[in-house]
Amino acid sequence: MAIIEGRFTDASNLRIGVVVARFNDLVTQKLLSGCLDCLERHGINTTDSSDQLDIAWVPGSFELPIVSQSLARSGKYEVLITLGAVIRGDTPHFDVVVSEASKGIAAVSRDTGIPVIFGVLTTDTMQQALERAGIKNNLGWNFALQALEMGSLMDAIQSRKPSS
Ligand code: INI
């Protein structure tokens, strides 16, 4: 029996792409800073000269899938993180944006084999979004942790040798 799981201790070989939506950037900027804080504390080089980390900005969450797809296909990254905030109270087409973003991101992951973390907050109010982006807890940190786990897990799966 094999137990296959991701680790958080050696992220030195991971190359990570982060795709961030500008819409509701009061929230997404905070998610990004939580995300970068977690990556940095796990040994990822987050400086401007880093060749381990790239950050792409898109207009809104609706555009997260296409840019994630392009980055995933580039072959440059082991894992991608998407960050966005869709707020029901201010968005008559909330369901459309959330549905396209979530289905699109899942499809990119499956089609390319590159894990894409779904870091899109979907809340009823701006207050709830801000609470999840730092006032109470910064989920950007959690999304980064999930990316480290998935990157490491995929690596563990790929490096297993078939038993003879
Ligand atoms: N994009 C978001 O990320 N969050 C939102 O709450 C939102 N609202 O409110 O509409 C939003 N809209 C923009 C959308 O994601 C696209 O960028 C736009 O429709 C252009 O394709």
Side-chain angles (χ1 to χ4, degrees), residues 5-6 10 18 26 45 63 68 73 81 88 101 105 110 113 129 134 139 149:
E5 57 188 357
D10 183 17
V18 184
L26 184 64
N45 180 355
E63 284 75 34
S68 300
R73 284 182 178 165
I81 303 168
R88 186 187 291 277
I105 289 165
R110 284 195 305 269
L139 289 181
E149 180 171 3

Side-chain angles (χ1 to χ4, degrees), residues 5 9 31 38 47 49 57 61 95 115 122 144 148 153 157:
E5 57 188 357
T9 46
L31 289 176
C38 176
T47 63
S49 59
W57 287 89
S61 296
D95 292 325
T122 56
L148 295 175
L153 175 60
I157 293 169

